[in-house]
Amino acid sequence: MVPRINSMNTVTKANTVTSKNTVTTEKEAFAGSPTIQTATPTEISQEQFALEILNLDSWYGDFQALHGVTIKIPRNQVTAFIGPSGCGKSTLLRWCNRMNDTIAIARASGTLRMGDTDLLSKSIDVVDLRRRVGIVFQKANPFPKSIFDNVAFGPRLHMKANRSELADLVEWSLRKAALWDEVKDRLNKPALGLSGGQQQRLCIARAIAVGPEVLLMDEPCSALDPASTLAIEDLMDELRTQYTIVIVTHNMQQASRCSDKTAFFFEGKVVEYGPTDRIFTNPENKQTEDYVSGRFG
Amino acid sequence: MPESSSQSNSDQRSTPELRGRAGRMLTEKWFSYLCVATATSSVAVLCWLLYSILSHGLPALSWTLLSNPPEPDPEQAGVRPAFFGTVWVCAMCGLMTLPIGIATAILLEEFPPKSKLGGWVYGLIQLNISNLAGVPSVVYGILGLTAFVSMFGLFERDQDSQSSGFELGVTYYNQFFSEGDRAILIPVENVDDKLSVVSEGMEAYTFARDADGATIVDYSKLVPTEINVITYDDPYPEDPAVLENTLFADAEAGRVSQKSWYYFQVPFGRGVLAGAMTLMLVILPVIIISSQEALRAVPSSLRAGALGLGATPWQVVRTVTLPAAIPGIMTGAILAMSRAIGETAPILIIAGIVYIRNAPQHLMDDFTVMPLQIYNWTSRPQEAFHDIAAGGIIILLAILLSFNAIAVLIRQKMQKPLS
Amino acid sequence: MNTPESTADLNDRVRSILAADRRSLRGVRIREIGVYAVLVLCGVFSLLITIAIVGVLLTETLNFFRSDEVTLSNFLGSGQWTPLLGSTKSFGIWALISGTMLVTVIAMAIALPLGLITAVYLSEYAPRKVRAVLKPVLEVLAGVPTVVYGFFALVTITPFLQWLHGGFNVFNATSGGIAVGILCLPTVCSLAEDALQAVPSSLRDGAYGLGGTRFDATVKVILPAALSGIISAFLLAIARAIGETMIVAIACGSRPQVTGDPRDEIQTMTGFMVQMAGGDVSNFGIEYYSMYAVAFTLFMITLSLTMIGNVVRRRYREAYE
C-alpha cells in the first residue's frame, strides 16, 4: 500500500508542474534547460533526477546484456541512448518500466531507482510502475479499436473517469501528441486506418493519457518516413517541458537534434554519458568519437 | 499404377553417368502426371462418395424422414428424435467445452510460467493435450461410460432398486387400474418401498379429461381424485362413476415416474448430459489447440502496448488479445462442433442402440443422435433402411456444411487486420 | 492551433482528472489471482482426463485379469477371441489385433502414398487454381463423419469389390480398409504438406540453382529434409487408422480371427467395443470387463504412436526454427 500512496503523491506533484508548464511558452522552457546542462551532476539535487541507474547488470539467460551501467536521468529533459545494435540500450530502457518481465530468462541486479522506489525489487507493483513510466515502441502498435478507444484504453483501466472526463482526457492527449486536428472528426474510426506517423503519435497520446512522469521511447521513428519523423521530433520538443523523456535511437542526427543528454552504449557498457552538445562535438572517448562521426556502428 | 511408374523413375535416377536432358525431362513429366493423377483421384473419390449417397438418399428424402420418429417401417421412419438429440447433446457439449478450452488456451498462451516448476507443468499440459488429440474417440466413450454413466459405481445400491444415488425433480407414483378401467396414481413417499398398500383417503390422482371425455395421458396435468377401496367381502359397486374410482385393497400397482424438465440424477445414467460430457472430452483438445493458434496469431506488439500502459495480464487478455483472437477462436470452435456432431463411436458406447421415439425432455433423458441413427439403419440388412440411412446422411451433411459455411464466413468477414 | 487560451480550460479539467483518485489496485490484484486460479483449474482439467483414462482402463483391466476365466498368457498368446461363447471362452487379443492390423495395412497402402504425393503436389507443383480446388476437397473429405464412410464402404465399395472379384465376403477387411484409407488421406496430406513447407526456401533455391529439375529438387533435397515431419505424419495417420471405429464396425463384420485374407470378415479392437456397447451384455460379466482390456490395449498402442509422432514433429520444427 505504501508505494501506491507515495506514487499518487508524485503523480499529483508532477501534474501540478505539468499544468504550469502547459501555459509556459517554448522559449521559457528552453531557457530552463541550459542551466541544468551546464551544471555538473554533483550540483543537482536528487529531486531533479527522474531515474537513477547505479551499477546495473542484466542478463538474458547466460548472456550478459548490461555491464555495470550507471546513468542518472534528469527530470523534464530528453535523454538519448545511442549505440550500435545489440549494445544493450533497449534492454536498459525496458528495465525502466519492467517490460523485461515478459521475457522469462531476463534478470538484472544493481540499482534502478525512481525517487525512493526501487524499480528492480520483487515486491514492486509493475502495473503501478507502468502507469508512471509510459513506453512507446519501435513499431507503432495501436490496438485494433477506434482512435478514441485507443487513447481511452489506459484511463479506462486506471481511472474512475466518466464519459465526459474521458472525452476531455482523449482530446487533451491527442492535442499534446499534435494529432487532434487530424483526427478530431474521425475519433470513432479504426486506428489502423491512420498513416504510420499518425499511428506512432497516437501511441504517444495513448501513453500520455494515463499521466506518466517518464516517457520511454524505443526507436520511435525507425519505421517512419522523414516527414513523420520530423513531426515526432517536434512533439518531443514540446513534451520535454512536462515529461522526462528517454529515447533510444540509432539515428545520431536525431539524438543530437532532440536530446539534452546523451549516453553512448557499446557492448553492454556506457562508454560515455554527458550533455548532448559535448558528446557530439567534443567526446572524451575515442570510441564515442568514432561512433558519432560515423566511423563504425 | 502410381507405384510402378515411380519405380521406373528411381531406376533412371540411379544410372551413374550424366543423364541426358531428354531423360530428365521425361522423369519430370511423368512425375507431374503422377501428381496430377493422384490429386485428381481424391477429387474423384469425393465425387464417388457424394454420388453414392445422393443416389441412395435423394429418393428417400422427404418431410416424413425429417418429422417422424424412427418407426420400424422404413417408409414411415424419420430422424426427428435423433435430430433433437444431436441439438441437445451438441449444445450442452459446446456450453461446457468452450469455456474450459478457451481458458486452457489463454493459460498456456497468455500467462507464461513464472518458475521452473511452472514451466515444467505447462510443458506437461501441452504435451498431454497433443497426445489427447490422438486418443481414439471410442476410448473416450469407455471413459465416459465409467466416469459419467455409472460414476465408477460409487452410487450403486442394490440391483433391484429403481432409484439411483441422488435424484431431483422426479415424482414416483404407484399406478393402479380401477375397476372402471381408469388409471389411479398414488404418489410414492419412499422409492424403495415395494409394497403398494391402498387405503381410503390416500392422496390420489388421475389423468385429466378433455371436453369430449377422452383421457389426456400427461403426467403434468393430473387431477386429484378420491379413491374408494373395497374388499372381496364388500358389495361390488354398480355405478360406473363409482367404479372408476374403485380399487380392491390388494390391487397390483405398476411404478411410474413423472420427471420435470430439470430432472437430475447422480450418476448421470445413459442420458444427454453423460453424452455431452463424453463429447466434451473428445473435442476439448481440438478446441484448445485451435484457440491457442488463434491467440498466437495476435501480434505480440499489441500485448506489449497494453502491458506498457499498465494493464495486468488478465486485462491484456480481456481488452486486447481475446477480442482480436475471437474470430479465429470461433472458427475453430465451430469446426470442433461439427466434429462433435459427426462423432458416433463415443455416443454409441454411452447411449447404446435404443429405440427412442421422442426428443429428450431433460438432461438425464435417453437419447440418440443423427450419426447413431444412421449407423443403426446402415447396420440392418434391408436395402430400404440403407436408403433412409443415406437420406439421414444428406441431412447430417447439410447441417455440417452449413456449420462450415458459417466458419468460413466468420473467417472472412470478422478477421480484421491486427497491425 | 494549440493556443493557451483555447486549451486552458481543458488543461484545468484534465489536471483534476489526472489528480483524482485512481482505481484501487487491490481489487485488480484480487481479480487477477482469482482469474489465474480459474485458468489453472481449467488447464489441470486436461491432465485429469488423462489420469482418469489411465486409471479407469487400468483398474477395470485388472478386474478383468483377476477373473478365473482369464489368464495373461491366454490374452497375449492366443489368437482365439470368443468371449461370448459360454463354455469355451477364450480371450486371445491377437485375433482383434490382427484384424486391426489388416485394416490398417490396407488403409495405409492407400493413404500414405496418395497423401504424400498429393502433399508434394500441393507444396511444390500445384498452380494456385488447382490448390483452390484441391484444398477444400481435402477439407471436406476430412470433415465427413466416419459413419458416412462406413455407409460408403458397406453400400458402395463392397459391391464394387464383389463385382471385381467374387470371393469377397459381404463384410470384409478390404472395403473397410479402403474407407479408412480415404479418411486418413487428408490427415497425411496436410501434416506432410506442413513438413514440406517447413523446409527453408534456401534449400529449394539451392537445388534449383544447381540446375536441378523440380523432380530432382523434390526427391533429392526437399523430401529428405522433410523426412522426420513426413514420418511423424505417417505415425499419426497410423494411430488414427488403428483407432477408427465406425467404418470397421459397419463394413468389416464381427468375426474375430487371425487371417491375412483381405476378402474375409474380421473384427478389430474398436469393432469389438462397438459390438459390446450395441448389444445387451450384462454390466458386470467377464465379457464386459474384456471391453476395458481391449480399450487399454488400443489406448497404449495409439498413445505410443501419437507420442512418437509428436516428438518427431517437434524435432523437425526445432531443426528449422
Side-chain angles (χ1 to χ4, degrees):
Chain A
M1 285 311 285
V2 177
R4 196 172 66 79
I5 293 165
N6 193 357
S7 80
M8 240 147 48
N9 288 344
T10 334
V11 170
T12 322
K13 207 184 324 172
N15 286 313
T16 324
V17 177
T18 302
S19 59
K20 251 185 240 156
N21 282 346
T22 325
V23 280
T24 52
T25 61
E26 261 186 83
K27 217 164 128 197
E28 279 168 333
F30 264 112
S33 349
T35 52
I36 298 170
Q37 271 182 358
T38 50
T40 58
T42 42
E43 288 166 349
I44 301 169
S45 73
Q46 205 167 42
E47 265 306 289
Q48 281 171 299
F49 290 119
L51 291 165
E52 283 179 284
I53 303 154
L54 299 172
N55 209 12
L56 185 80
D57 294 325
S58 170
W59 291 266
Y60 292 116
D62 294 330
F63 172 72
Q64 187 165 5
L66 291 175
H67 299 262
V69 169
T70 298
I71 295 177
K72 294 185 176 182
I73 292 167
R75 194 177 292 283
N76 291 359
Q77 291 192 28
V78 177
T79 305
F81 294 172
I82 60 169
S85 299
C87 63
K89 50 196 193 309
S90 284
T91 305
L92 179 60
L93 194 79
R94 290 167 63 90
W95 277 121
C96 294
N97 74 344
R98 293 277 289 271
M99 283 305 284
N100 275 335
D101 284 14
T102 58
I103 302 166
I105 54 168
R107 62 207 163 83
S109 72
T111 310
L112 180 49
R113 265 206 311 261
M114 181 181 189
D116 297 330
T117 325
D118 176 10
L119 301 191
L120 293 180
S121 114
K122 269 221 156 81
S123 60
I124 192 187
D125 193 333
V126 290
V127 168
D128 186 52
L129 169 65
R130 287 172 191 158
R131 290 180 190 176
R132 296 171 60 194
V133 183
I135 186 161
V136 175
F137 296 93
Q138 184 170 1
K139 193 171 163 292
N141 56 352
F143 303 127
K145 300 170 185 282
S146 72
I147 294 170
F148 184 94
D149 287 343
N150 261 279
V151 183
F153 184 89
R156 278 185 178 140
L157 292 182
H158 305 308
M159 299 170 194
K160 302 169 189 162
N162 61 28
R163 270 202 82 75
S164 75
E165 285 174 327
L166 268 186
D168 282 346
L169 207 50
V170 169
E171 179 181 345
W172 176 80
S173 309
L174 285 170
R175 278 190 193 283
K176 279 262 164 271
L179 196 59
W180 176 252
D181 293 304
E182 292 161 60
V183 301
K184 64 182 174 203
D185 301 323
R186 45 173 176 151
L187 288 176
N188 291 317
K189 293 273 155 45
L192 289 167
L194 297 174
S195 74
Q198 287 174 322
Q199 286 189 5
Q200 194 61 294
R201 275 180 282 154
L202 180 70
C203 291
I204 294 172
R206 194 172 69 178
I208 294 172
V210 284
E213 298 151 52
V214 180
L215 207 50
L216 309 172
M217 295 187 168
D218 192 355
E219 301 184 37
C221 304
S222 65
L224 300 182
D225 59 274
S228 308
T229 303
L230 190 68
I232 303 266
E233 284 178 12
D234 287 346
L235 178 59
M236 279 195 290
D237 213 36
E238 285 210 16
L239 295 177
R240 76 200 313 163
T241 52
Q242 302 132 49
Y243 302 97
T244 305
I245 296 178
V246 185
I247 176 172
V248 162
T249 179
H250 265 118
N251 182 332
M252 277 169 293
Q253 282 74 35
Q254 185 170 51
S256 67
R257 275 195 302 264
C258 15
S259 70
D260 303 304
K261 290 204 143 198
T262 298
F264 170 59
F265 284 71
F266 186 65
E267 291 182 343
K269 298 187 182 78
V270 179
V271 176
E272 196 166 351
Y273 174 51
T276 301
D277 288 350
R278 206 201 69 219
I279 295 280
F280 279 91
T281 53
N282 189 19
E284 287 165 2
N285 188 293
K286 179 77 170 64
Q287 265 179 327
T288 317
E289 191 183 343
D290 286 351
Y291 184 76
V292 298
S293 59
R295 243 167 279 169
F296 89 105
Chain B
M1 282 291 13
E3 281 76 10
S4 65
S5 66
S6 75
Q7 189 57 48
S8 71
N9 285 341
S10 62
D11 283 351
Q12 282 183 16
R13 274 191 291 120
S14 59
T15 47
E17 63 266 30
L18 272 178
R19 287 175 298 152
R21 191 182 130 78
R24 290 172 50 178
M25 285 304 144
L26 203 65
T27 319
E28 174 77 20
K29 208 164 87 181
W30 276 108
F31 187 70
S32 62
Y33 286 163
L34 174 67
C35 283
V36 173
T38 313
T40 318
S41 71
S42 58
V43 181
V45 163
L46 183 63
C47 294
W48 192 24
L49 176 75
L50 290 179
Y51 170 76
S52 153
I53 288 160
L54 291 178
S55 66
H56 280 94
L58 276 184
L61 212 55
S62 64
W63 181 245
T64 319
L65 187 66
L66 266 176
S67 64
N68 272 22
E71 306 284 1
D73 172 16
E75 292 284 313
Q76 294 299 314
V79 296
R80 190 173 53 85
F83 175 80
F84 283 109
T86 290
V87 171
W88 271 70
V89 170
C90 291
M92 284 304 297
C93 170
L95 283 179
M96 289 184 294
T97 317
L98 277 180
I100 298 179
I102 296 173
T104 306
I106 289 174
L107 176 76
L108 292 174
E109 294 300 318
E110 304 292 323
F111 290 78
K114 290 185 189 101
S115 62
K116 268 232 166 75
L117 177 73
W120 186 80
V121 172
Y122 272 51
L124 190 68
I125 295 178
Q126 188 72 70
L127 178 74
N128 181 49
I129 288 165
S130 51
N131 287 333
L132 277 181
V135 173
S137 58
V138 67
V139 173
Y140 288 113
I142 301 272
L143 174 65
L145 185 65
T146 316
F148 307 135
V149 173
S150 65
M151 296 226 163
F152 310 102
L154 288 178
F155 301 89
E156 218 62 63
R157 293 214 227 154
D158 65 304
Q159 289 280 301
D160 304 329
S161 168
Q162 290 202 357
S163 70
S164 55
F166 167 81
E167 286 180 296
L168 186 78
V170 61
T171 320
Y172 285 97
Y173 297 98
N174 281 331
Q175 177 167 315
F176 298 88
F177 282 95
S178 70
E179 294 307 299
D181 265 347
R182 189 143 196 233
I184 306 281
L185 298 148
I186 297 178
V188 178
E189 309 235 318
N190 186 352
V191 185
D192 291 331
D193 280 351
K194 295 204 183 61
L195 290 172
S196 50
V197 185
V198 284
S199 60
E200 261 177 61
M202 277 179 103
E203 187 186 3
Y205 298 90
T206 186
F207 290 122
R209 287 179 172 163
D210 62 16
D212 305 331
T215 308
I216 308 166
V217 184
D218 184 343
Y219 288 98
S220 59
K221 289 179 187 150
L222 294 177
V223 290
T225 184
E226 298 254 320
I227 52 171
N228 172 32
V229 179
I230 57 171
T231 65
Y232 292 104
D233 303 335
D234 294 330
Y236 196 74
E238 300 292 323
D239 182 4
V242 179
L243 270 180
E244 281 202 329
N245 295 335
T246 302
L247 289 174
F248 276 109
D250 62 346
E252 301 234 334
R255 182 68 59 82
V256 294
S257 62
Q258 187 231 318
K259 290 166 179 163
S260 43
W261 61 269
Y262 58 86
Y263 174 62
F264 189 82
Q265 68 175 20
V266 175
F268 299 147
R270 296 175 177 269
V272 171
L273 187 62
M277 290 180 81
T278 307
L279 274 190
M280 168 178 83
L281 304 182
V282 178
I283 65 166
L284 186 64
V286 184
I287 288 197
I288 294 175
I289 291 171
S290 67
S291 303
Q292 274 187 288
E293 273 163 16
L295 287 170
R296 237 176 271 155
V298 178
S300 60
S301 64
L302 293 186
R303 285 184 196 98
L307 281 176
L309 288 170
T312 60
W314 170 241
Q315 284 171 332
V316 174
V317 171
R318 191 169 52 84
T319 53
V320 177
T321 333
L322 204 52
I326 271 292
I329 291 177
M330 289 316 294
T331 311
I334 290 172
L335 293 180
M337 287 315 294
S338 62
R339 164 132 189 231
I341 292 173
E343 198 62 70
T344 323
I347 297 288
L348 174 58
I349 303 272
I350 296 295
I353 303 243
V354 278
Y355 178 68
I356 307 278
R357 283 193 60 90
N358 294 311
Q361 302 299 311
H362 47 80
L363 285 180
M364 304 296 143
D365 214 351
D366 290 341
F367 70 103
T368 187
V369 291
M370 293 282 295
L372 198 52
Q373 189 62 59
I374 292 165
Y375 166 68
N376 188 344
W377 283 332
T378 307
S379 54
R380 296 189 195 189
Q382 299 94 332
E383 284 280 328
F385 279 110
H386 291 175
D387 290 348
I388 54 170
I393 288 175
I394 294 176
I395 298 172
L396 181 65
L397 289 182
I399 298 171
L400 293 179
L401 214 62
S402 48
F403 260 68
N404 283 282
I406 294 171
V408 170
L409 262 171
I410 290 179
R411 200 162 21 182
Q412 284 176 347
K413 297 273 160 169
M414 280 177 64
Q415 204 94 32
K416 291 179 287 186
L418 297 176
S419 61
Chain C
M1 53 178 206
N2 204 0
T3 57
E5 293 78 28
S6 71
T7 55
D9 268 1
L10 182 64
N11 283 329
D12 283 344
R13 289 204 299 271
V14 167
R15 185 182 4 142
S16 67
I17 297 170
L18 286 175
D21 270 359
R22 303 251 164 148
R23 250 172 228 227
S24 147
L25 274 175
R26 187 203 279 237
V28 172
R29 185 110 316 129
I30 290 171
R31 198 178 50 192
E32 199 72 10
I33 292 169
V35 166
Y36 189 67
V38 170
L39 294 182
V40 168
L41 276 181
C42 291
V44 169
F45 183 73
S46 65
L47 287 178
L48 285 182
I49 296 175
T50 310
I51 294 169
I53 292 179
V54 175
V56 164
L57 294 183
L58 213 56
T59 48
E60 302 287 3
T61 305
L62 286 179
N63 277 339
F64 170 71
F65 281 117
R66 215 170 279 152
S67 159
D68 296 336
E69 295 167 85
V70 190
T71 58
L72 192 64
S73 60
N74 176 235
F75 186 75
L76 292 178
S78 164
Q80 287 278 320
W81 184 266
T82 51
L84 301 176
L85 282 182
S87 54
T88 55
K89 281 182 186 168
S90 171
F91 297 93
I93 189 75
W94 286 107
L96 298 179
I97 291 187
S98 111
T100 298
M101 272 165 57
L102 187 58
V103 170
T104 307
V105 165
I106 295 167
M108 291 303 108
I110 292 170
L112 300 190
L114 291 189
L116 181 59
I117 293 173
T118 311
V120 168
Y121 181 62
L122 277 174
S123 161
E124 309 294 324
Y125 282 76
R128 192 179 287 253
K129 273 184 189 165
V130 178
R131 268 185 80 89
V133 176
L134 210 49
K135 273 282 194 187
V137 165
L138 289 168
E139 274 173 31
V140 170
L141 278 179
V144 170
T146 55
V147 69
V148 178
Y149 281 112
F151 173 88
F152 180 59
L154 182 69
V155 174
T156 308
I157 301 181
T158 302
F160 177 69
L161 290 172
Q162 285 174 323
W163 175 75
L164 283 179
H165 178 84
F168 279 100
N169 199 315
V170 176
F171 299 111
N172 62 78
T174 311
S175 105
I178 292 174
V180 174
I182 299 171
L183 175 77
C184 292
L185 192 144
T187 313
V188 177
C189 183
S190 78
L191 288 173
E193 201 200 340
D194 283 351
L196 293 171
Q197 296 279 328
V199 174
S201 56
S202 57
L203 273 181
R204 227 168 248 129
D205 296 345
Y208 291 132
L210 291 171
T213 60
R214 232 191 306 207
F215 177 75
D216 292 330
T218 308
V219 172
K220 293 179 189 159
V221 177
I222 298 166
L223 279 183
L227 193 63
S228 58
I230 291 168
I231 289 174
S232 123
F234 284 5
L235 288 174
L236 295 177
I238 294 172
R240 174 117 204 243
I242 290 176
E244 177 39 48
T245 310
M246 294 321 290
I247 297 175
V248 291
I250 292 173
C252 294
S254 53
R255 192 194 318 153
Q257 57 171 329
V258 179
T259 176
D261 185 354
R263 299 168 305 178
D264 212 351
E265 179 174 359
I266 50 107
Q267 186 166 49
T268 65
M269 294 186 274
T270 52
F272 171 71
M273 283 186 259
V274 166
Q275 190 196 356
M276 297 302 284
D280 37 17
V281 179
S282 90
N283 265 18
F284 301 95
I286 181 74
E287 51 275 11
Y288 177 78
Y289 286 120
S290 73
M291 185 165 81
Y292 285 94
V294 173
F296 186 66
T297 315
L298 175 69
F299 176 69
M300 291 316 287
I301 295 175
T302 51
L303 182 71
S304 36
L305 282 171
T306 317
M307 273 173 91
I308 299 171
N310 282 332
V311 167
V312 172
R313 190 155 58 129
R314 197 162 295 177
R315 198 63 58 77
Y316 90 76
R317 284 217 173 136
E318 274 165 12
Y320 294 126
E321 272 167 16

